[in-house]
Amino acid sequence: LNHSGHSNMQGVRNQIAKFGKIINAIETSDGAGVRLKRSLGTNALPILDPFLMLDEFGSEEGADYIAGFPNHPHRGFETVTYMLNGKMQHKDNKGNEGVIETGGVQWMTAGKGVIHSEMPLQKEGLMRGFQLW
C-alpha cells in the first residue's frame, strides 16, 4: 500500500523484468550415477560455469539415487542443499556430519582439502531436492 492506503500494483507491474531467454535444465548424472537435472552450470550459460551450479535431484526409484555421492573433494566453496522429500547424510573427513530430512536445509562451507560425501539414508521411496553450488 502506498502512503494514501491504496495499492501501488500498477507501478510494480511496470517494473517487472523480461527474460531474454529460457534455458531448459539438462538431464545428467553426478556422484556415483545419481540422476539429476542441471539448470545452472551447463554450456548454455558458460559465463556462470564452473562458479555456479543448480541441480535438482528427484525420483521415486531407489536405483536412481541409492549410489549417492561418495567421498569427493571440495576446493573451497559453499553449497546449499534443500530436501523436499527424503533423507540424506552428509559427512566429511574432519569428523563433521549431519542429516537432512524432508523440509531441511544445509548450508555448507567446504574448505580446500575437505573430502565429503552425501549418501541417502533410504533405499526406496521419493527423494527430491535441490543443491546450489
Side-chain angles (χ1 to χ4, degrees), residues 54-71:
L54 176 61
D55 294 339
E56 174 195 5
F57 53 93
S59 180
E60 291 188 15
E61 301 297 323
D64 290 340
Y65 59 75
I66 196 64
F69 304 89
N71 286 339

Side-chain angles (χ1 to χ4, degrees), residues 77-131:
F77 60 87
E78 311 222 8
T79 66
V80 179
T81 306
Y82 177 57
M83 290 296 293
L84 295 167
N85 304 94
K87 196 171 187 178
M88 183 86 74
Q89 182 175 41
H90 289 239
K91 287 185 177 181
D92 70 30
N93 63 333
K94 303 293 182 187
N96 301 303
E97 62 181 87
V99 174
I100 307 172
E101 299 184 53
T102 299
V105 176
Q106 180 195 50
W107 184 315
M108 181 183 75
T109 302
K112 183 178 178 182
V114 171
I115 306 296
H116 168 75
S117 69
E118 300 153 296
M119 300 301 290
L121 289 179
Q122 63 187 61
K123 295 187 187 312
E124 58 186 32
L126 181 60
M127 178 175 282
R128 183 165 182 239
F130 296 91
Q131 187 173 66

Side-chain angles (χ1 to χ4, degrees), residues 8-29:
N8 192 16
M9 286 306 293
Q10 185 60 39
V12 171
R13 283 189 202 114
N14 290 337
Q15 296 178 21
I16 295 176
K18 293 183 181 177
F19 291 95
K21 187 176 182 183
I22 295 175
I23 297 171
N24 294 320
I26 61 166
E27 292 190 22
T28 188
S29 65

